């Protein structure tokens, strides 16, 4: 199905992303494809645990709410949807949608499911693999492993679309691949056409965080203005078969898309610009430039590509103990001194209970909580909030942190109020390994109505 | 005399594991000359050292008037396990912009 030009929109840039701008881009964007990126590094670990408790679950929790809003208007317009909301259970996601879609007014549609990103068995079989973070063998994480998923490329997304499906649901794929996949499918680009792969990957990288390209994460009043930030529209890309790309956003929406927003998003989560490694190519973005063609329309230039590597990156989620925390507020005269006394009281009470922590962090919110800067240099604020967070392998010790902070209401310095965020949570951490591509067996499975 | 980085450039922070990357983009060509000359890896390392951060790598994209700083060990053990209130370090872009550079009245136009 070779075409001359396609338009791809972004409908979500993280799991809990706002739904209305996704609906808006479907209704007003005149899209051919809608991609929704909803998997952060660790979310898939949580969803793998959900699936262990209930085999029908394990997909992105917001799946049904999002798709009830997005699917009917998208399918009505013939827009193909690509999403990684399958998370740890892409087929489960497809089944759940089928159960509800008729009631949403979508009785007939076809759905392709990408499987094969889950590689926990491969991890167990290869404890010798070195971790990318520190070179230590994977072995030490295996007893605490919660999930392991390979970042698949755009080829499997294109394979899904090639079935003619209206909807392609994946688990872990590289974020830009959700956008490059439709291009591979529509234009039959090959994996040795590095210039086109580079442009497509760059496009995906720019669009995958939704509103961060269009004025989100940007406004600074009086300095960097963003028109109607509240009505921020999501980004779209016009892509031509020869590899040319122009990015824009939902017509009539709020926000801003120009050289400045594109520059910030280009370098977002990018390390060496000459080697942005994806499963589809190694993008060299060091020569990228942006050309403002019109208001909210920018052409991309200068992306170069090198061949994809022989490996897939795997992110391994593992349990890493517990974190407990709590916050308490103080205001008025001597507020900071009272907050500091509260901190000492909590630490001493935890110590007398015989509880110890491998790491403890103390913040004075309003003075040093975000940048860990020297609070003694900060001006004395009218109000301040103490925060204590601590790490431990013992769940009860983690819970004690919040409980002791909470008790400052009644047994701490005078005027302790507004306590919040008392809690303990299990920490799911992640580390990465590389594995040869040929170890990973992917398949496209058509989901059918039961 | 000094120049506030905030007055001549804008910034965005991203995270990968325990590494923060912060781009710094000058508003105009004069500002670019200032940041490319003065915003060195040593200066950035000094500004982030209290976080236990380092090493720092710097990449230049002159056609965008942008520098990209990759700051290792800046995120309290990484997004997934950090005890910090901002585990992603999204707010570290603002910390970057509190740096003051040697110079006087350069690069202040909003080009």
């Amino acid at each position: 199905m070779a075409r001359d030009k396609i338009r791809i929109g972004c409908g979500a840039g993280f799991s809990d992303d706002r739904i209305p701008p996704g609906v808006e881009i479907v209704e007003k964007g005149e899209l051919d494809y809608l991609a929704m990126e909803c998997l952060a590094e660790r979310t898939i670990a949580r969803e793998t645990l959900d699936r262990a408790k209930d085999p029908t679950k394990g997909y992105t929790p917001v799946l049904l709410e999002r798709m009830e809003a997005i699917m009917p208007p998208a399918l009505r317009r013939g827009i193909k949807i690509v999403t990684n909301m399958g998370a740890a259970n892409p087929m489960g996601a497809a089944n759940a949608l089928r159960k509800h879609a008729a009631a949403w007014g979508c009785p007939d549609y076809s759905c392709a499911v990408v499987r094969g990103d889950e590689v926990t068995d491969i991890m167990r079989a290869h404890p010798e693999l070195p971790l990318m973070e520190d070179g230590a063998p994977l072995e030490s994480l295996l007893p605490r492993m919660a999930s392991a998923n390979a970042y698949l490329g755009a080829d499997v997304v294109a394979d899904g679309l090639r079935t003619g499906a209206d909807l392609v649901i994946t688990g872990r794929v590289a974020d830009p691949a959700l956008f490059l996949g439709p291009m591979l499918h529509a234009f039959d680009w090959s994996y040795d056409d590095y210039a086109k792969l580079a442009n497509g990957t760059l496009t995906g990288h720019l669009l995958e965080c939704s509103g961060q390209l269009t004025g989100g994460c940007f406004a600074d009043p009086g300095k960097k203005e963003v028109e109607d930030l509240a009505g921020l529209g999501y980004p779209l890309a016009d892509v031509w078969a020869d590899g040319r790309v122009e990015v824009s956003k939902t017509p009539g929406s709020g926000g801003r898309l120009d050289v400045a927003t594109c520059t910030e998003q280009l370098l977002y989560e990018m390390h060496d610009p000459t080697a942005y490694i994806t499963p589809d190519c190694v993008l060299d973005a060091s020569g990228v430039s942006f050309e403002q063609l019109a208001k909210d329309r920018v052409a991309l230039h200068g992306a170069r590509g090198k061949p994809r590597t022989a490996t897939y990156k795997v992110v391994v989620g593992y349990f890493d103990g517990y974190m407990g925390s709590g916050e308490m507020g103080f205001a008025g005269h001597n507020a900071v001194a009272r907050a500091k006394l509260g901190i000492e009281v909590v630490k001493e009470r935890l110590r007398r209970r015989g509880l110890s922590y491998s790491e403890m962090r103390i913040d004075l919110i309003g003075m040093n909580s975000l940048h860990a800067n020297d609070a003694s240099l900060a001006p004395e604020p009218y109000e301040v909030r103490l925060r204590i967070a601590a790490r431990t392998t013992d769940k009860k010790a983690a819970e004690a942190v919040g409980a002791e902070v909470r008790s400052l209401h009644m047994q701490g310095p005078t005027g302790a109020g507004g306590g919040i965020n008392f809690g303990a949570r299990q920490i799911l951490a992640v580390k990465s390994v590389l594995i040869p591509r040929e170890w990973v067996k992917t398949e496209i499975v058509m989901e059918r109505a039961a | 005399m000094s120049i506030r980085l905030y007055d001549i450039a804008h910034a965005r922070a991203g995270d990968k594991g325990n590494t923060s990357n912060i781009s710094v983009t000058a508003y105009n060509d004069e500002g670019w000359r200032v940041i490319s000359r003065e915003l060195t890896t040593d200066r950035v390392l000094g500004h982030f050292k209290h976080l236990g951060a380092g090493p720092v790598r710097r990449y230049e994209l002159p056609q965008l008037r942008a520098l990209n700083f990759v700051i290792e060990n800046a995120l309290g053990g990484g997004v997934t396990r950090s005890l910090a209130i901002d585990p992603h370090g999204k707010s570290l872009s603002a910390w970057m912009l509190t740096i003051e550079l040697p110079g006087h009245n350069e690069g202040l136009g909003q080009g």
Side-chain angles (χ1 to χ4, degrees):
Chain A
M1 188 186 60
R3 303 167 62 167
D4 180 49
K5 186 203 129 185
I6 58 172
R7 177 176 281 190
I8 308 174
C10 176
F14 69 102
S15 143
D16 297 315
D17 203 350
R18 302 176 54 243
I19 293 174
V23 175
E24 184 188 45
I25 199 169
V26 164
E27 291 179 340
K28 298 183 183 164
E30 298 183 22
L31 305 178
D32 301 301
Y33 297 90
L34 180 78
M36 291 186 280
E37 196 292 292
C38 295
L39 278 184
E41 269 192 329
R42 73 172 159 192
T43 41
I44 205 164
R46 282 190 205 294
E47 282 136 20
T48 303
L49 298 177
D50 288 348
R51 191 192 60 196
K53 284 182 219 144
D54 177 350
T56 69
K57 293 283 167 59
Y59 48 82
T60 302
V62 76
L63 171 82
L64 294 176
E65 187 189 349
R66 188 182 297 288
M67 288 303 245
E68 180 175 7
I70 297 280
M71 259 176 75
L75 295 185
R76 227 171 14 245
R77 288 168 176 77
I79 301 170
K80 309 275 189 184
I81 300 174
V82 176
T83 182
N84 57 8
M85 280 192 282
N89 190 357
M91 186 54 82
N95 290 336
L97 288 176
R98 186 69 67 182
K99 209 181 286 176
H100 293 87
W104 299 339
C106 307
D108 297 308
Y109 66 93
S110 63
C111 176
V113 170
V114 174
R115 291 209 293 213
D117 62 297
E118 185 164 337
V119 291
T120 45
D121 290 343
I122 295 173
M123 295 298 101
R124 287 197 190 89
H126 291 277
E128 76 286 357
L129 288 168
L131 296 170
M132 290 174 75
E133 286 76 7
D134 52 20
L138 170 65
E139 188 166 17
S140 64
L141 299 186
L142 289 178
R144 297 179 284 154
M145 180 169 68
S147 66
N149 299 80
Y151 280 83
L152 303 180
D155 46 355
V156 293
V157 174
D159 288 346
L161 289 167
R162 224 160 265 139
T163 65
D166 301 297
L167 175 58
V168 177
I169 299 182
T170 75
R172 179 63 81 194
V173 299
D175 299 347
L178 294 169
F179 297 83
L180 180 59
M183 300 177 211
L184 294 183
H185 169 57
F187 303 136
D188 285 325
W189 289 351
S190 80
Y191 267 94
D192 48 21
D193 198 339
Y194 307 124
K196 294 191 179 86
L197 293 174
N199 279 343
T201 299
L202 171 64
T203 304
H205 171 70
L206 289 172
L207 264 63
E208 58 152 291
C209 290
S210 67
Q212 284 199 177
L213 188 67
T214 53
C217 207
F218 190 83
D220 193 357
K223 181 99 174 150
K224 289 159 75 193
E225 303 292 351
V226 176
E227 200 180 320
D228 188 18
L229 178 57
L232 187 73
Y234 282 174
L236 57 85
D238 287 320
V239 185
W240 283 266
D242 63 6
R244 268 182 310 133
V245 182
E246 294 173 13
V247 293
S248 185
K249 67 184 182 66
T250 309
S253 64
R256 157 177 174 172
L257 188 149
D258 58 16
V259 174
T261 66
C262 287
T263 299
E264 285 198 11
Q265 192 56 21
L266 171 70
L267 293 171
Y268 180 71
E269 295 186 346
M270 182 172 282
H271 288 182
D272 179 353
T274 67
Y276 186 73
I277 301 170
T278 78
D280 299 302
C281 71
V282 177
L283 169 64
D284 175 357
S286 62
V288 166
S289 62
F290 301 107
E291 179 190 0
Q292 189 89 42
L293 299 172
K295 185 171 187 285
D296 296 327
R297 176 165 285 269
V298 168
L300 315 185
H301 301 295
R304 293 182 290 257
K306 290 174 268 193
R308 55 184 173 178
T309 64
T311 52
Y312 281 123
K313 179 177 163 182
V314 173
V315 166
V316 180
Y318 65 99
F319 295 109
D320 193 20
Y322 295 84
M323 170 180 148
S325 68
E327 297 175 21
M328 184 64 67
F330 297 87
H333 293 300
N334 216 21
V336 175
R338 283 181 283 129
K340 286 180 177 169
L341 174 59
I343 289 164
E344 293 312 312
V345 166
V346 169
K347 283 163 75 174
E348 182 60 17
R349 286 177 179 163
L350 291 170
R351 192 187 68 78
R352 290 190 194 180
R353 286 172 67 177
L355 301 171
S356 63
Y357 301 88
S358 55
E359 184 184 350
M360 184 173 276
R361 180 180 168 115
I362 307 294
D363 294 310
L364 291 170
I365 297 175
M367 300 181 77
N368 70 355
S369 66
L370 289 170
H371 297 155
N373 44 303
D374 185 350
S376 70
L377 300 178
E380 175 106 6
Y382 181 77
E383 61 179 57
V384 66
R385 175 181 292 278
L386 74 82
R387 173 176 179 269
I388 301 179
R391 187 195 313 285
T392 165
T393 54
D394 176 3
K395 188 176 178 204
K396 290 221 170 345
E399 288 166 345
V401 177
E404 290 293 359
V405 174
R406 185 197 293 269
S407 75
L408 291 177
H409 271 310
M410 298 179 68
Q411 296 167 36
T414 183
I420 54 166
N421 293 340
F422 311 114
R425 63 174 179 82
Q426 191 168 31
I427 297 171
L428 270 171
V430 295
K431 287 193 174 169
S432 316
V433 296
L434 296 174
I435 60 173
R437 280 176 180 267
E438 57 272 19
W439 290 5
V440 179
K441 304 289 175 229
T442 62
E443 58 173 346
I444 308 296
V445 184
M446 299 308 292
E447 176 270 343
R448 312 255 175 229
Chain B
M1 301 302 281
S2 63
I3 302 170
R4 296 196 308 175
L5 184 56
Y6 175 77
D7 290 329
I8 61 171
H10 53 102
R12 180 171 298 190
D15 64 278
K16 265 200 174 67
N18 197 19
T19 301
S20 175
N21 90 282
I22 305 177
S23 68
V24 179
T25 305
Y27 285 110
N28 59 36
D29 290 340
E30 198 179 50
W32 165 248
R33 284 193 290 277
V34 174
I35 66 170
S36 58
R37 181 182 74 224
E38 301 292 348
L39 194 59
T40 60
T41 51
D42 281 351
R43 203 179 293 278
V44 170
L45 179 62
H47 200 64
F48 286 83
K49 206 165 195 152
H50 69 288
L51 297 171
V56 173
R57 295 191 304 282
R58 174 181 126 144
Y59 300 96
E60 299 181 12
L61 296 95
Q63 78 282 14
L64 299 174
R65 298 192 299 247
L67 298 172
N68 189 34
F69 290 93
V70 177
I71 308 171
E72 292 183 32
N73 301 304
L75 296 176
V79 175
T80 53
R81 63 189 304 275
S82 168
L83 297 179
I85 203 166
D86 175 19
H88 296 85
K90 296 275 271 196
S91 73
L92 290 178
S93 54
W95 177 247
M96 176 72 90
L97 294 180
T98 64
I99 290 180
E100 300 202 354
L101 300 173
H104 182 57
N105 281 345
E106 286 175 85
L108 295 175
Q110 300 282 309

